[in-house]
Amino acid sequence: MQGLWVTELQTPSLALSCRVIKTLHRERTPYQELAVVETEAFGRMLLLDDVIQTTVKDEFVYHEMISHVPLNTHPHPRQVLVIGGGDGGAIREVIKHTEVERAVLVEIDARVVANAREYLPEISCGLDDARVEIRFEDGIEHVRRLRDQYDVIIVDSTDPVGPAVGLFSREFYQNVYHALKADGLFVAQTESPFFNAAFIRRVQRDIASVFPVTRLYLATVPTYPGGLWTFSLGSKKYDPVEVDPQTIAPLPTRYYSPEVHKAAFALPPFVQEILRPGEEEELF
Ligand code: AG3
Protein backbone atom coordinates (compact mmCIF):
# COMPACT_ATOMS: atom_id res chain seq x y z
CA MET A 1 0.00 0.00 0.00
CA GLN A 2 1.37 3.40 -0.99
CA GLY A 3 1.83 6.29 1.43
CA LEU A 4 1.18 6.48 5.15
CA TRP A 5 -1.51 4.32 6.77
CA VAL A 6 -2.70 3.91 10.34
CA THR A 7 -3.63 0.37 11.37
CA GLU A 8 -5.56 -0.89 14.38
CA LEU A 9 -5.08 -4.55 15.10
CA GLN A 10 -8.72 -5.14 16.04
CA THR A 11 -8.14 -8.80 16.93
CA PRO A 12 -4.92 -10.83 16.64
CA SER A 13 -6.09 -11.79 13.14
CA LEU A 14 -7.99 -8.76 11.87
CA ALA A 15 -6.92 -5.19 11.16
CA LEU A 16 -8.49 -1.92 10.02
CA SER A 17 -6.25 0.44 8.03
CA CYS A 18 -6.95 4.03 7.05
CA ARG A 19 -4.91 6.20 4.71
CA VAL A 20 -3.34 9.07 6.63
CA ILE A 21 -3.17 12.57 5.18
CA LYS A 22 -1.23 13.98 8.11
CA THR A 23 -0.12 13.02 11.60
CA LEU A 24 -1.20 15.98 13.72
CA HIS A 25 0.12 14.94 17.11
CA ARG A 26 1.75 12.07 19.01
CA GLU A 27 2.67 11.92 22.66
CA ARG A 28 3.26 9.50 25.49
CA THR A 29 0.97 10.62 28.35
CA PRO A 30 1.42 9.27 31.89
CA TYR A 31 -1.23 6.68 30.99
CA GLN A 32 -0.96 5.83 27.31
CA GLU A 33 0.32 6.53 23.81
CA LEU A 34 -1.91 9.19 22.25
CA ALA A 35 -2.16 10.09 18.56
CA VAL A 36 -4.34 12.40 16.48
CA VAL A 37 -4.19 11.76 12.74
CA GLU A 38 -6.04 13.20 9.77
CA THR A 39 -7.44 10.30 7.72
CA GLU A 40 -8.87 10.34 4.22
CA ALA A 41 -11.87 8.13 5.04
CA PHE A 42 -12.95 9.33 8.50
CA GLY A 43 -11.39 12.77 8.99
CA ARG A 44 -9.52 13.41 12.23
CA MET A 45 -9.06 10.34 14.40
CA LEU A 46 -8.03 9.91 18.04
CA LEU A 47 -6.04 6.79 18.93
CA LEU A 48 -4.98 5.59 22.37
CA ASP A 49 -2.38 2.82 22.43
CA ASP A 50 -3.04 2.33 18.69
CA VAL A 51 -6.76 1.69 19.27
CA ILE A 52 -9.24 3.92 17.42
CA GLN A 53 -11.29 5.84 19.98
CA THR A 54 -13.27 8.18 17.79
CA THR A 55 -13.29 9.89 14.40
CA VAL A 56 -14.93 13.10 13.26
CA LYS A 57 -16.93 11.24 10.62
CA ASP A 58 -18.56 8.47 12.68
CA GLU A 59 -18.36 9.69 16.31
CA PHE A 60 -21.96 10.92 16.30
CA VAL A 61 -23.35 7.38 16.20
CA TYR A 62 -21.55 6.27 19.34
CA HIS A 63 -21.88 9.52 21.31
CA GLU A 64 -25.57 9.97 20.55
CA MET A 65 -26.38 6.36 21.37
CA ILE A 66 -24.40 6.21 24.62
CA SER A 67 -26.09 9.45 25.79
CA HIS A 68 -29.64 9.83 24.49
CA VAL A 69 -30.80 6.28 25.17
CA PRO A 70 -30.19 6.58 28.95
CA LEU A 71 -31.15 10.27 29.16
CA ASN A 72 -34.46 9.69 27.39
CA THR A 73 -35.15 6.63 29.54
CA HIS A 74 -34.88 8.66 32.75
CA PRO A 75 -37.88 11.05 33.00
CA HIS A 76 -35.82 13.81 34.71
CA PRO A 77 -32.08 13.49 34.11
CA ARG A 78 -30.62 16.38 36.13
CA GLN A 79 -27.34 15.07 37.53
CA VAL A 80 -25.21 13.15 35.03
CA LEU A 81 -21.77 11.56 35.40
CA VAL A 82 -19.59 10.56 32.43
CA ILE A 83 -16.65 8.27 33.24
CA GLY A 84 -13.88 8.32 30.63
CA GLY A 85 -14.96 10.08 27.46
CA GLY A 86 -12.20 12.70 27.66
CA ASP A 87 -12.80 13.69 24.03
CA GLY A 88 -16.03 15.33 25.23
CA GLY A 89 -18.36 13.69 22.69
CA ALA A 90 -20.71 12.19 25.27
CA ILE A 91 -20.77 15.44 27.25
CA ARG A 92 -21.69 17.38 24.09
CA GLU A 93 -24.76 15.13 23.71
CA VAL A 94 -25.65 15.13 27.43
CA ILE A 95 -25.88 18.93 27.59
CA LYS A 96 -28.33 18.98 24.68
CA HIS A 97 -30.86 17.97 27.36
CA THR A 98 -32.04 21.24 28.91
CA GLU A 99 -33.10 19.43 32.09
CA VAL A 100 -29.49 18.50 32.85
CA GLU A 101 -28.28 20.80 35.63
CA ARG A 102 -24.83 19.31 36.14
CA ALA A 103 -22.69 17.06 33.95
CA VAL A 104 -19.51 15.79 35.58
CA LEU A 105 -16.72 14.31 33.45
CA VAL A 106 -14.29 12.06 35.31
CA GLU A 107 -11.36 11.30 32.99
CA ILE A 108 -8.12 9.75 34.20
CA ASP A 109 -5.90 11.35 31.55
CA ALA A 110 -5.83 15.17 31.34
CA ARG A 111 -3.90 14.93 28.06
CA VAL A 112 -6.89 13.36 26.31
CA VAL A 113 -9.03 16.40 27.17
CA ALA A 114 -6.25 18.86 26.23
CA ASN A 115 -5.69 17.22 22.84
CA ALA A 116 -9.41 16.93 22.12
CA ARG A 117 -9.77 20.65 22.83
CA GLU A 118 -6.89 21.41 20.48
CA TYR A 119 -7.48 18.99 17.60
CA LEU A 120 -11.11 17.84 17.85
CA PRO A 121 -13.17 21.00 18.49
CA GLU A 122 -16.30 19.53 16.87
CA ILE A 123 -16.26 16.76 19.49
CA SER A 124 -14.98 18.63 22.56
CA CYS A 125 -17.05 21.82 22.09
CA GLY A 126 -19.45 21.05 24.96
CA LEU A 127 -16.71 20.95 27.60
CA ASP A 128 -16.89 24.70 28.22
CA ASP A 129 -20.60 24.68 29.02
CA ALA A 130 -21.30 26.21 32.44
CA ARG A 131 -23.01 23.00 33.63
CA VAL A 132 -19.91 20.87 32.95
CA GLU A 133 -17.38 20.02 35.65
CA ILE A 134 -14.19 18.16 34.70
CA ARG A 135 -12.19 16.07 37.17
CA PHE A 136 -9.01 14.27 36.33
CA GLU A 137 -9.40 11.18 38.46
CA ASP A 138 -9.70 7.42 38.19
CA GLY A 139 -13.41 6.71 37.61
CA ILE A 140 -13.16 3.45 39.55
CA GLU A 141 -11.98 5.28 42.68
CA HIS A 142 -14.38 8.16 42.08
CA VAL A 143 -17.59 6.09 42.19
CA ARG A 144 -16.42 4.13 45.23
CA ARG A 145 -17.10 7.16 47.46
CA LEU A 146 -20.46 8.26 46.01
CA ARG A 147 -23.91 7.60 47.46
CA ASP A 148 -27.26 8.62 45.91
CA GLN A 149 -25.81 11.32 43.67
CA TYR A 150 -26.61 10.78 40.01
CA ASP A 151 -29.65 10.20 37.82
CA VAL A 152 -27.56 8.80 34.96
CA ILE A 153 -23.99 7.44 34.76
CA ILE A 154 -22.36 6.91 31.36
CA VAL A 155 -19.22 4.75 31.15
CA ASP A 156 -17.44 5.82 27.96
CA SER A 157 -14.33 3.71 28.41
CA THR A 158 -11.59 2.20 26.29
CA ASP A 159 -11.55 -1.55 25.59
CA PRO A 160 -11.44 -3.84 28.63
CA VAL A 161 -7.67 -4.11 28.78
CA GLY A 162 -5.16 -2.54 31.18
CA PRO A 163 -6.55 0.18 33.47
CA ALA A 164 -10.09 -0.07 32.00
CA VAL A 165 -10.55 -3.69 33.18
CA GLY A 166 -11.89 -2.48 36.54
CA LEU A 167 -14.66 -0.52 34.77
CA PHE A 168 -16.19 -3.85 33.72
CA SER A 169 -16.13 -5.62 37.09
CA ARG A 170 -19.09 -6.64 39.23
CA GLU A 171 -17.64 -4.62 42.10
CA PHE A 172 -17.63 -1.49 39.90
CA TYR A 173 -21.28 -2.08 38.91
CA GLN A 174 -22.12 -2.33 42.60
CA ASN A 175 -20.41 1.01 43.27
CA VAL A 176 -22.26 2.55 40.30
CA TYR A 177 -25.50 1.23 41.82
CA HIS A 178 -24.80 3.04 45.09
CA ALA A 179 -23.66 6.21 43.29
CA LEU A 180 -27.05 6.40 41.55
CA LYS A 181 -30.21 7.83 43.06
CA ALA A 182 -33.12 5.47 43.90
CA ASP A 183 -34.39 5.58 40.29
CA GLY A 184 -31.04 6.02 38.51
CA LEU A 185 -29.61 4.10 35.59
CA PHE A 186 -26.27 3.59 33.87
CA VAL A 187 -24.93 2.61 30.48
CA ALA A 188 -21.52 1.33 29.36
CA GLN A 189 -20.00 0.63 25.97
CA THR A 190 -19.54 -3.16 25.83
CA GLU A 191 -17.69 -4.08 22.64
CA SER A 192 -18.48 -6.23 19.60
CA PRO A 193 -21.04 -9.05 19.50
CA PHE A 194 -18.90 -10.71 16.82
CA PHE A 195 -15.56 -10.65 18.62
CA ASN A 196 -16.42 -10.23 22.32
CA ALA A 197 -19.46 -12.49 22.82
CA ALA A 198 -18.19 -14.22 25.96
CA PHE A 199 -17.24 -10.85 27.45
CA ILE A 200 -20.73 -9.43 26.77
CA ARG A 201 -22.37 -12.50 28.35
CA ARG A 202 -20.30 -12.06 31.51
CA VAL A 203 -20.93 -8.29 31.72
CA GLN A 204 -24.70 -8.70 31.22
CA ARG A 205 -24.81 -11.41 33.89
CA ASP A 206 -22.86 -9.20 36.34
CA ILE A 207 -25.08 -6.17 35.69
CA ALA A 208 -28.18 -8.33 36.13
CA SER A 209 -26.87 -9.53 39.50
CA VAL A 210 -26.84 -5.90 40.70
CA PHE A 211 -29.63 -4.06 38.81
CA PRO A 212 -33.31 -5.08 38.51
CA VAL A 213 -33.45 -3.98 34.84
CA THR A 214 -30.65 -5.05 32.45
CA ARG A 215 -30.68 -4.42 28.71
CA LEU A 216 -28.39 -4.65 25.69
CA TYR A 217 -28.69 -2.43 22.64
CA LEU A 218 -26.90 -1.98 19.33
CA ALA A 219 -25.53 0.68 17.02
CA THR A 220 -23.30 0.62 13.96
CA VAL A 221 -19.91 2.31 14.36
CA PRO A 222 -17.82 1.75 11.20
CA THR A 223 -14.42 2.27 12.86
CA TYR A 224 -14.97 -0.22 15.71
CA PRO A 225 -14.20 -3.94 15.32
CA GLY A 226 -16.99 -5.61 13.34
CA GLY A 227 -18.90 -2.35 12.92
CA LEU A 228 -21.82 -3.55 15.04
CA TRP A 229 -21.37 -2.34 18.62
CA THR A 230 -23.09 -3.07 21.95
CA PHE A 231 -24.09 -0.93 24.90
CA SER A 232 -25.18 -2.41 28.23
CA LEU A 233 -27.68 -0.65 30.46
CA GLY A 234 -28.46 -1.30 34.11
CA SER A 235 -31.39 0.48 35.73
CA LYS A 236 -32.96 0.60 39.19
CA LYS A 237 -36.44 1.44 37.87
CA TYR A 238 -36.97 2.66 34.31
CA ASP A 239 -36.85 0.24 31.39
CA PRO A 240 -35.53 1.77 28.13
CA VAL A 241 -37.72 -0.64 26.16
CA GLU A 242 -40.87 0.75 27.80
CA VAL A 243 -40.18 4.35 26.75
CA ASP A 244 -43.04 5.74 24.65
CA PRO A 245 -41.42 7.23 21.52
CA GLN A 246 -44.20 9.84 21.43
CA THR A 247 -42.89 11.36 24.67
CA ILE A 248 -39.30 11.80 23.46
CA ALA A 249 -38.60 15.48 22.84
CA PRO A 250 -36.89 16.17 19.50
CA LEU A 251 -33.16 16.94 19.66
CA PRO A 252 -30.67 17.81 16.93
CA THR A 253 -29.20 14.34 16.23
CA ARG A 254 -27.99 12.43 13.17
CA TYR A 255 -28.31 8.79 14.32
CA TYR A 256 -30.53 8.76 17.38
CA SER A 257 -34.28 9.24 16.97
CA PRO A 258 -37.31 7.97 18.90
CA GLU A 259 -37.63 5.17 16.29
CA VAL A 260 -33.95 4.27 16.55
CA HIS A 261 -34.28 4.22 20.37
CA LYS A 262 -36.88 1.45 19.99
CA ALA A 263 -35.12 -0.35 17.16
CA ALA A 264 -31.75 -0.48 18.96
CA PHE A 265 -33.22 -3.03 21.38
CA ALA A 266 -34.35 -5.40 18.60
CA LEU A 267 -31.61 -8.00 18.88
CA PRO A 268 -30.77 -10.43 16.06
CA PRO A 269 -30.93 -14.09 17.16
CA PHE A 270 -27.13 -14.44 17.31
CA VAL A 271 -27.05 -11.56 19.80
CA GLN A 272 -29.97 -12.97 21.82
CA GLU A 273 -27.96 -16.17 22.00
CA ILE A 274 -25.18 -14.25 23.80
CA LEU A 275 -27.70 -13.23 26.48
CA ARG A 276 -28.96 -16.76 27.07
CA PRO A 277 -27.67 -17.96 30.46
CA GLY A 278 -24.78 -20.32 29.99
CA GLU A 279 -21.08 -20.71 30.20
CA GLU A 280 -18.84 -18.08 28.65
CA GLU A 281 -16.78 -20.79 26.98
CA GLU A 282 -19.70 -22.00 24.85
CA LEU A 283 -19.58 -18.83 22.80
CA PHE A 284 -17.39 -18.29 19.80
N1 AG3 B 1 -14.51 4.50 23.61
C1 AG3 B 1 -13.83 3.46 22.91
C2 AG3 B 1 -14.70 2.37 22.41
C3 AG3 B 1 -13.88 1.17 22.09
C4 AG3 B 1 -13.30 1.18 20.72
N2 AG3 B 1 -12.61 -0.06 20.52
C5 AG3 B 1 -11.80 -0.32 19.49
N3 AG3 B 1 -11.67 0.55 18.51
N4 AG3 B 1 -11.15 -1.44 19.46
C6 AG3 B 1 -14.79 5.58 22.78
C7 AG3 B 1 -14.28 6.87 23.18
C8 AG3 B 1 -15.12 7.88 22.50
N5 AG3 B 1 -15.57 8.87 23.37
Side-chain angles (χ1 to χ4, degrees):
M1 288 188 286
Q2 285 296 302
L4 191 60
W5 291 68
V6 64
T7 296
E8 176 183 335
L9 209 54
Q10 295 186 323
T11 78
S13 48
L14 178 71
L16 176 68
S17 293
C18 302
R19 188 190 291 280
V20 172
I21 299 169
K22 196 172 176 203
T23 301
L24 298 163
H25 186 71
R26 276 198 88 95
E27 74 174 84
R28 168 102 226 149
T29 79
Y31 299 96
Q32 52 212 336
E33 183 75 32
L34 181 154
V36 184
V37 298
E38 177 88 38
T39 69
E40 189 90 46
F42 292 106
R44 290 189 178 189
M45 173 184 279
L46 171 70
L47 297 108
L48 297 175
D49 290 333
D50 297 315
V51 174
I52 300 172
Q53 298 302 313
T54 197
T55 80
V56 165
K57 187 151 180 173
D58 72 353
E59 57 88 10
F60 68 97
V61 179
Y62 176 91
H63 291 131
E64 289 179 12
M65 290 301 280
I66 206 169
S67 306
H68 301 308
V69 171
L71 270 79
N72 282 330
T73 297
H74 196 293
H76 301 292
R78 296 190 178 113
Q79 305 283 327
V80 179
L81 171 65
V82 176
I83 294 174
D87 51 70
I91 286 284
R92 183 196 60 206
E93 296 306 313
V94 165
I95 60 171
K96 285 181 181 173
H97 293 253
T98 50
E99 257 192 294
V100 170
E101 294 164 357
R102 185 164 160 257
V104 179
L105 178 74
V106 174
E107 160 66 55
I108 199 167
D109 192 343
R111 298 304 303 156
V112 174
V113 174
N115 281 290
R117 284 188 193 276
E118 172 135 14
Y119 297 104
L120 305 167
E122 313 86 334
I123 301 175
S124 61
C125 55
L127 293 174
D128 293 320
D129 187 278
R131 295 170 289 166
V132 176
E133 199 178 302
I134 305 176
R135 291 165 180 244
F136 298 114
E137 283 174 45
D138 181 348
I140 300 168
E141 290 307 316
H142 185 83
V143 294
R144 230 191 274 280
R145 316 188 285 267
L146 302 175
R147 292 289 175 275
D148 250 7
Q149 286 249 307
Y150 289 100
D151 298 306
V152 175
I153 296 178
I154 295 171
V155 188
D156 180 9
S157 74
T158 51
D159 292 336
V161 287
V165 168
L167 293 171
F168 298 93
S169 69
R170 189 175 180 278
E171 187 199 346
F172 175 72
Y173 299 139
Q174 222 145 17
N175 290 330
V176 166
Y177 183 94
H178 294 303
L180 288 166
K181 292 187 189 163
D183 60 351
L185 58 102
F186 95 102
V187 63
Q189 74 86 5
T190 47
E191 308 288 307
S192 157
F194 283 98
F195 303 119
N196 311 96
F199 166 80
I200 295 167
R201 176 174 279 182
R202 198 268 298 157
V203 161
Q204 284 276 315
R205 191 193 57 210
D206 285 351
I207 295 174
S209 74
V210 176
F211 287 85
V213 180
T214 304
R215 296 285 181 191
L216 186 79
Y217 63 95
L218 299 168
T220 299
V221 186
T223 54
Y224 291 170
L228 189 65
W229 208 248
T230 69
F231 299 87
S232 292
L233 186 148
S235 176
K236 292 189 180 181
K237 182 170 178 189
Y238 310 111
D239 187 340
V241 173
E242 300 299 322
V243 173
D244 176 0
Q246 307 266 330
T247 65
I248 298 178
L251 284 174
T253 52
R254 291 202 294 146
Y255 188 93
Y256 180 86
S257 72
E259 293 75 23
V260 169
H261 180 119
K262 281 273 155 203
F265 292 89
L267 304 177
F270 90 97
V271 179
Q272 284 179 25
E273 170 72 17
I274 297 173
L275 302 185
R276 221 176 25 82
E279 294 307 313
E280 288 168 31
E281 299 71 35
E282 287 168 21
L283 292 163
F284 49 91

Short mmCIF file of all heavy atoms in Angstrom, two decimals, residues 94-118:
data_model
loop_
_atom_site.label_atom_id
_atom_site.label_comp_id
_atom_site.label_asym_id
_atom_site.label_seq_id
_atom_site.Cartn_x
_atom_site.Cartn_y
_atom_site.Cartn_z
N VAL A 94 -24.96 15.03 26.15
CA VAL A 94 -25.65 15.13 27.43
C VAL A 94 -26.22 16.54 27.64
O VAL A 94 -27.37 16.71 28.04
CB VAL A 94 -24.69 14.75 28.60
CG1 VAL A 94 -25.26 15.18 29.95
CG2 VAL A 94 -24.41 13.24 28.58
N ILE A 95 -25.42 17.56 27.31
CA ILE A 95 -25.88 18.93 27.59
C ILE A 95 -26.91 19.43 26.58
O ILE A 95 -27.47 20.51 26.74
CB ILE A 95 -24.70 19.92 27.73
CG1 ILE A 95 -23.88 19.95 26.44
CG2 ILE A 95 -23.85 19.56 28.95
CD1 ILE A 95 -22.84 21.06 26.43
N LYS A 96 -27.21 18.62 25.56
CA LYS A 96 -28.33 18.98 24.68
C LYS A 96 -29.66 18.88 25.44
O LYS A 96 -30.66 19.45 25.03
CB LYS A 96 -28.38 18.03 23.46
CG LYS A 96 -27.30 18.33 22.41
CD LYS A 96 -27.42 17.38 21.22
CE LYS A 96 -26.32 17.66 20.19
NZ LYS A 96 -26.32 16.63 19.12
N HIS A 97 -29.64 18.12 26.54
CA HIS A 97 -30.86 17.97 27.36
C HIS A 97 -30.93 19.16 28.31
O HIS A 97 -30.11 19.30 29.21
CB HIS A 97 -30.82 16.65 28.14
CG HIS A 97 -30.90 15.46 27.26
ND1 HIS A 97 -32.03 14.66 27.17
CD2 HIS A 97 -29.99 14.93 26.40
CE1 HIS A 97 -31.80 13.69 26.28
NE2 HIS A 97 -30.58 13.83 25.80
N THR A 98 -31.96 20.00 28.12
CA THR A 98 -32.04 21.24 28.91
C THR A 98 -32.29 20.94 30.39
O THR A 98 -31.98 21.77 31.24
CB THR A 98 -33.13 22.16 28.35
OG1 THR A 98 -34.33 21.39 28.21
CG2 THR A 98 -32.73 22.72 27.00
N GLU A 99 -32.85 19.77 30.68
CA GLU A 99 -33.10 19.43 32.09
C GLU A 99 -31.83 19.12 32.87
O GLU A 99 -31.84 19.14 34.11
CB GLU A 99 -34.03 18.20 32.16
CG GLU A 99 -35.45 18.58 32.50
CD GLU A 99 -36.27 17.36 32.86
OE1 GLU A 99 -36.50 16.51 31.98
OE2 GLU A 99 -36.67 17.25 34.02
N VAL A 100 -30.75 18.82 32.16
CA VAL A 100 -29.49 18.50 32.85
C VAL A 100 -28.95 19.76 33.53
O VAL A 100 -28.74 20.78 32.89
CB VAL A 100 -28.45 17.91 31.87
CG1 VAL A 100 -27.06 17.81 32.52
CG2 VAL A 100 -28.90 16.54 31.37
N GLU A 101 -28.77 19.65 34.85
CA GLU A 101 -28.28 20.80 35.63
C GLU A 101 -26.77 20.73 35.79
O GLU A 101 -26.09 21.75 35.88
CB GLU A 101 -28.93 20.80 37.03
CG GLU A 101 -30.42 21.05 36.97
CD GLU A 101 -31.13 20.68 38.28
OE1 GLU A 101 -30.48 20.18 39.22
OE2 GLU A 101 -32.36 20.89 38.33
N ARG A 102 -26.25 19.49 35.88
CA ARG A 102 -24.83 19.31 36.14
C ARG A 102 -24.36 18.06 35.41
O ARG A 102 -24.99 17.01 35.52
CB ARG A 102 -24.66 19.16 37.65
CG ARG A 102 -23.25 19.07 38.13
CD ARG A 102 -23.25 19.33 39.65
NE ARG A 102 -22.04 18.82 40.25
CZ ARG A 102 -21.98 17.67 40.93
NH1 ARG A 102 -23.06 16.93 41.10
NH2 ARG A 102 -20.83 17.29 41.45
N ALA A 103 -23.28 18.21 34.65
CA ALA A 103 -22.69 17.06 33.95
C ALA A 103 -21.22 16.99 34.35
O ALA A 103 -20.43 17.88 34.03
CB ALA A 103 -22.84 17.24 32.44
N VAL A 104 -20.87 15.94 35.08
CA VAL A 104 -19.51 15.79 35.58
C VAL A 104 -18.76 14.80 34.70
O VAL A 104 -19.26 13.71 34.41
CB VAL A 104 -19.52 15.30 37.05
CG1 VAL A 104 -18.09 15.12 37.58
CG2 VAL A 104 -20.30 16.27 37.94
N LEU A 105 -17.58 15.20 34.25
CA LEU A 105 -16.72 14.31 33.45
C LEU A 105 -15.56 13.88 34.33
O LEU A 105 -14.80 14.72 34.82
CB LEU A 105 -16.21 15.05 32.21
CG LEU A 105 -15.25 14.24 31.31
CD1 LEU A 105 -16.02 13.19 30.52
CD2 LEU A 105 -14.51 15.15 30.34
N VAL A 106 -15.42 12.58 34.54
CA VAL A 106 -14.29 12.06 35.31
C VAL A 106 -13.40 11.27 34.35
O VAL A 106 -13.74 10.16 33.92
CB VAL A 106 -14.76 11.17 36.48
CG1 VAL A 106 -13.56 10.52 37.17
CG2 VAL A 106 -15.52 12.02 37.50
N GLU A 107 -12.29 11.88 33.98
CA GLU A 107 -11.36 11.30 32.99
C GLU A 107 -10.00 11.15 33.68
O GLU A 107 -9.53 12.09 34.32
CB GLU A 107 -11.29 12.23 31.77
CG GLU A 107 -10.09 12.07 30.87
CD GLU A 107 -10.04 10.72 30.15
OE1 GLU A 107 -11.00 10.36 29.45
OE2 GLU A 107 -8.99 10.03 30.28
N ILE A 108 -9.40 9.99 33.50
CA ILE A 108 -8.12 9.75 34.20
C ILE A 108 -6.97 10.56 33.58
O ILE A 108 -6.05 10.98 34.28
CB ILE A 108 -7.83 8.23 34.24
CG1 ILE A 108 -6.80 7.90 35.33
CG2 ILE A 108 -7.38 7.71 32.87
CD1 ILE A 108 -6.68 6.41 35.64
N ASP A 109 -7.05 10.81 32.27
CA ASP A 109 -5.90 11.35 31.55
C ASP A 109 -6.18 12.77 31.04
O ASP A 109 -6.86 12.96 30.02
CB ASP A 109 -5.57 10.41 30.37
CG ASP A 109 -4.23 10.72 29.72
OD1 ASP A 109 -3.70 11.83 29.95
OD2 ASP A 109 -3.72 9.86 28.98
N ALA A 110 -5.62 13.77 31.72
CA ALA A 110 -5.83 15.17 31.34
C ALA A 110 -5.37 15.47 29.92
O ALA A 110 -5.89 16.37 29.26
CB ALA A 110 -5.09 16.09 32.32
N ARG A 111 -4.41 14.69 29.41
CA ARG A 111 -3.90 14.93 28.06
C ARG A 111 -4.93 14.60 26.99
O ARG A 111 -4.89 15.14 25.88
CB ARG A 111 -2.61 14.14 27.83
CG ARG A 111 -1.45 14.53 28.75
CD ARG A 111 -1.12 16.01 28.67
NE ARG A 111 -0.80 16.40 27.29
CZ ARG A 111 -0.90 17.63 26.82
NH1 ARG A 111 -1.34 18.61 27.58
NH2 ARG A 111 -0.59 17.89 25.57
N VAL A 112 -5.84 13.68 27.28
CA VAL A 112 -6.89 13.36 26.31
C VAL A 112 -7.78 14.59 26.13
O VAL A 112 -8.09 15.00 25.01
CB VAL A 112 -7.74 12.13 26.75
CG1 VAL A 112 -8.91 11.90 25.81
CG2 VAL A 112 -6.86 10.87 26.80
N VAL A 113 -8.18 15.20 27.23
CA VAL A 113 -9.03 16.40 27.17
C VAL A 113 -8.28 17.54 26.47
O VAL A 113 -8.83 18.19 25.57
CB VAL A 113 -9.48 16.82 28.60
CG1 VAL A 113 -10.23 18.15 28.55
CG2 VAL A 113 -10.35 15.73 29.22
N ALA A 114 -7.02 17.76 26.83
CA ALA A 114 -6.25 18.86 26.23
C ALA A 114 -6.12 18.68 24.72
O ALA A 114 -6.30 19.64 23.95
CB ALA A 114 -4.87 18.93 26.88
N ASN A 115 -5.84 17.46 24.27
CA ASN A 115 -5.69 17.22 22.84
C ASN A 115 -7.02 17.27 22.10
O ASN A 115 -7.08 17.70 20.94
CB ASN A 115 -4.97 15.89 22.59
CG ASN A 115 -3.47 16.03 22.79
OD1 ASN A 115 -2.79 16.67 22.00
ND2 ASN A 115 -2.97 15.49 23.89
N ALA A 116 -8.09 16.83 22.75
CA ALA A 116 -9.41 16.93 22.12
C ALA A 116 -9.79 18.40 21.94
O ALA A 116 -10.30 18.79 20.89
CB ALA A 116 -10.46 16.20 22.97
N ARG A 117 -9.49 19.20 22.94
CA ARG A 117 -9.77 20.65 22.83
C ARG A 117 -8.99 21.25 21.67
O ARG A 117 -9.50 22.08 20.93
CB ARG A 117 -9.37 21.37 24.11
CG ARG A 117 -10.32 21.19 25.27
CD ARG A 117 -9.87 22.13 26.38
NE ARG A 117 -10.48 21.89 27.67
CZ ARG A 117 -11.68 22.37 28.03
NH1 ARG A 117 -12.38 23.07 27.17
NH2 ARG A 117 -12.15 22.13 29.24
N GLU A 118 -7.74 20.83 21.52
CA GLU A 118 -6.89 21.41 20.48
C GLU A 118 -7.20 20.90 19.08
O GLU A 118 -7.29 21.68 18.14
CB GLU A 118 -5.42 21.13 20.83
CG GLU A 118 -4.48 21.51 19.72
CD GLU A 118 -3.26 22.26 20.20
OE1 GLU A 118 -2.99 22.25 21.42
OE2 GLU A 118 -2.58 22.86 19.35
#
